[in-house]
Amino acid sequence: ADAPAAEGGSGRGRSAGLSVGRAAALSAALVCAGTAMGFVRDLLLADRFGAGPDTDAFLVSWTVPETVSPLLIEDAMALVMVPVVTRAMLRPQGVPRLVGRVAPPLVSALSALSAAVALLAPWIVRIAAPGVADRAEAVTCLRLTAVTVLTFGVAGFLSAVLRPHHRFGPPAAIYLAYNAGILAMLVTLADAWGITSAALGVACGSVLMVLVQLPAFVAVLRRGRATDVPDAPPTAAPGDGPAGRDGTSSRLSSWQVQLAAVAPVVVFTVARQAQVLVERFFGSSLPDGTISQLNYAQKVAQVPMVLALLVATVTFPRLVRAQLDDDAGRLRRRIEGDLTAVGLLITVAIAYLWTFAPLITRVMFQHGAFTRADSLGTAAILRVYSLGLLAQCVLGVSVRALSAGRRAGWRTPLAMLAGLAVTFAVAAAFSADHGAGALAAGNAVGISVAAVLQLVTVRRRIAPIRFGLLGRRLALGAGCALVAGASAGRVSGALAGQAPPIVRLAVGGAVLPLVMAAALVLAAGTAGVLRTGRPGLGRLGQRAEQSGTEGVGEAGPAPSAEPVPAARRVNG
């Protein structure tokens, strides 16, 4: 999808806006298709290999792409390169020159790192999963997936170059290509190669992530080389170095600033991913299949979390605008509204997962080599994981709030490191006696600690959000979710033996949110608790607004120049 930047008159602006809209729609479709194919991949893995030593060995090797993906594709690479590419676009032939200067050392460094991971695979497996049953298989798989250090880095670099040029389609298609490569290898080589076919699929899929972007990348470079603006002054941009013979010092200073800015993001991302590493470290010493059950349960639990956080993603531009306008009252209400909406949505998901976990895992995974015992074990873990979903969502909203304007510095990664320490402590203390359930509980407790610390940081540095009001809202939602979950469970149970499991899941999925909504409407004081745009309405809102410890300040929120639509006044 190519969406050229708007220039000139309003007609061009409208045309560019429509083009960007089409690109956004195409990107959403490609991302959804990639996610769906990822589910098919997991279902095929469960069907072919179940939850045993083979899948455990593969999942140990999968730690490499899972760790480098947020660093080299989603977070660190984008935060460093997208601003630099955007500034380079302001100079004649700036992007081709930037690519020529950055790409060779980047590819060389990533190639060396990828080779080092492959060479050190036996020691990495021994450290990351000392108790894995099939260590030789894990080493073989790890050597195959080590190539993702290079390919993911190149794919992330191509995406960072394409997005400032409004080429959104190819970057959005990378996970579709990635999962297509894995599925192709599983379908064609699973019988001959076993679980190693999945690792080979990871390697092939990562190469496809590069190839799917390469034509658009080449076109961007050709267009950049054809651009010749001799009268344009050589604007000095951070990261490009000054015009002249000696730009080394300025380039070094700029890269130091970029690295200093992105370092907290890198630490936060690694610390969050390290929760999975802790689980696999201790899970490798538990019975065969533990790592696999943890993985399948986590994949299911992540779906409602991602969907709930879409609310915060959509409202993020408004959050940034409130921060830029220095409107403390609007900023506070926006954050509180996001936390309320996301919290209510995720409590519905928690109630559904807790009520129907055995049925979910039975329908999704209990086929082929995935036994009933594997299904029940995964369901038990899924229920424990679900208890940490609220904290996961709160953490996601808090990170967005801290990213809206004022930087949080090292507080965000330190909060995540504190949560990681709690996860490790719980796993070390209880996993030997309580198995995978203790690992999932450690994950939930650790992420809850990180979320609380992040909320405190948001209140101190961003906006004086009212914990009392948020607590009442979430407590009301939790109580209604308990009633809704019990009601949906009874309706679904009445259909046992009369309807297939998938129909029971669908009926439960329809009944639960309806009962939840009815319970919220009937609960006393609901209007005052849930209202976000005008906290003075409703008794609970009036008490919170009048409280000296929970209010915005002496003057209260500044009046807005534009009317607040109903959709902004009430969330959830």
Side-chain angles (χ1 to χ4, degrees):
D2 191 355
E7 296 177 2
S10 60
R12 285 187 180 184
R14 284 193 297 269
S15 175
L18 290 174
S19 184
V20 170
R22 286 194 296 268
L26 176 62
S27 298
L30 290 171
V31 169
C32 289
T35 302
M37 192 166 287
F39 256 113
V40 175
R41 173 203 67 202
D42 292 335
L43 294 177
L44 185 57
L45 275 172
D47 181 72
R48 289 293 184 94
F49 305 106
D54 288 343
T55 46
D56 287 354
F58 167 68
L59 291 172
V60 170
S61 72
W62 210 354
T63 302
V64 174
E66 284 180 331
T67 302
V68 300
S69 173
L71 288 175
L72 298 180
I73 297 179
E74 298 161 11
D75 292 334
M77 179 71 77
L79 287 174
V80 171
M81 289 307 305
V82 169
V84 173
V85 173
T86 303
R87 289 191 291 268
M89 292 171 64
L90 303 177
R91 302 185 59 179
Q93 300 185 15
V95 173
R97 291 174 181 171
L98 176 67
V99 171
R101 190 175 71 242
V102 173
L106 177 67
V107 171
S108 298
L110 292 175
S111 298
L113 187 57
S114 180
V117 172
L119 184 64
L120 299 174
W123 290 271
I124 294 175
V125 169
R126 191 173 301 169
I127 294 171
V132 67
D134 196 342
R135 184 173 297 177
E137 190 76 53
V139 170
T140 301
C141 291
L142 183 59
R143 282 177 169 154
L144 287 170
T145 59
V147 73
T148 59
V149 177
L150 170 61
T151 50
F152 277 23
V154 174
F157 179 75
L158 299 185
S159 297
V161 173
L162 291 173
R163 283 175 178 141
H165 290 84
H166 293 179
R167 302 298 295 268
F168 302 113
I174 58 176
Y175 289 109
L176 181 62
Y178 174 62
N179 287 317
I182 298 175
L183 283 172
M185 293 298 103
L186 282 173
V187 170
T188 57
L189 298 177
D191 293 334
W193 287 45
I195 196 64
T196 307
S197 62
L200 181 62
V202 170
C204 294
S206 68
V207 174
L208 293 178
M209 295 170 77
V210 176
L211 296 179
V212 77
Q213 299 183 93
L214 204 54
F217 179 75
V218 171
V220 163
L221 288 187
R222 286 177 177 172
R223 187 170 60 186
R225 290 194 181 99
T227 303
D228 188 11
V229 190
D231 296 331
T235 306
D240 278 347
R245 289 179 296 178
D246 187 11
T248 305
S249 176
S250 295
R251 285 198 298 269
L252 179 61
S253 175
S254 175
W255 278 107
Q256 286 175 338
V257 171
Q258 293 282 356
L259 291 175
V262 81
V265 178
V266 172
V267 175
F268 171 80
T269 303
V270 172
R272 192 165 187 177
Q273 178 60 30
Q275 288 201 311
V276 177
L277 303 182
V278 169
E279 292 180 355
R280 291 178 182 172
F281 176 83
F282 288 100
S284 65
S285 300
L286 296 176
D288 292 342
T290 297
I291 294 177
S292 301
Q293 292 174 12
L294 287 164
N295 173 74
Y296 291 128
Q298 191 175 71
K299 293 294 173 61
V300 175
Q302 284 176 347
V303 174
M305 179 190 71
V306 172
L307 295 177
L309 282 175
L310 284 176
V311 174
T313 301
V314 171
T315 60
F316 185 59
R318 295 183 182 181
L319 196 66
V320 175
R321 180 61 183 272
Q323 175 73 27
L324 293 175
D325 292 344
D326 200 21
D327 189 337
R330 183 155 57 96
L331 183 63
R332 184 204 64 188
R333 293 193 297 273
R334 181 75 270 156
I335 297 173
E336 290 175 348
D338 288 348
L339 288 169
T340 300
V342 171
L344 291 177
L345 288 173
I346 205 63
T347 52
V348 174
I350 293 171
Y352 185 79
L353 292 177
W354 185 271
T355 303
F356 297 103
L359 210 55
I360 292 172
T361 57
R362 176 183 170 187
V363 170
M364 291 188 64
F365 302 116
Q366 193 175 321
H367 311 283
F370 203 90
T371 66
R372 176 172 172 77
D374 295 333
S375 176
L376 293 176
T378 303
I381 296 170
L382 178 58
R383 279 177 166 164
V384 180
Y385 268 142
S386 69
L387 300 179
L389 289 179
L390 177 60
Q392 294 274 11
C393 290
V394 168
L395 185 65
V397 174
S398 300
V399 169
R400 285 167 174 79
L402 290 167
S403 302
R406 196 179 308 167
R407 288 194 311 166
W410 284 94
R411 291 175 181 262
T412 294
L414 289 177
M416 196 64 240
L417 287 172
L420 178 63
V422 172
T423 297
F424 187 91
V426 172
F430 300 106
S431 63
D433 294 329
H434 299 281
L439 299 179
N443 187 307
V445 174
I447 205 69
S448 298
V449 170
V452 170
L453 293 175
Q454 285 288 80
L455 273 183
V456 172
T457 300
V458 170
R459 182 173 183 173
R460 289 179 177 176
R461 296 176 62 88
I462 303 299
I465 55 177
R466 297 163 293 183
F467 288 164
L469 182 61
L470 287 173
R472 289 191 289 272
R473 291 172 175 175
L474 295 179
L476 175 65
C480 293
L482 286 174
V483 174
S487 302
R490 288 188 177 183
V491 172
S492 176
L495 298 176
Q498 303 176 19
I502 193 169
V503 173
R504 294 172 57 195
L505 282 178
V507 170
V511 170
L512 197 149
L514 290 176
V515 175
M516 174 84 171
L520 284 173
V521 171
L522 295 175
T526 297
V529 173
L530 297 183
R531 195 172 298 277
T532 62
R534 297 172 62 185
L537 297 179
R539 293 184 179 179
L540 293 176
Q542 290 174 356
R543 288 201 296 269
E545 187 69 12
Q546 294 168 1
S547 171
T549 59
E550 296 182 338
V552 179
E554 299 87 353
S560 175
E562 59 182 19
V564 181
R568 284 179 58 187
R569 290 200 303 268
V570 180
N571 284 311

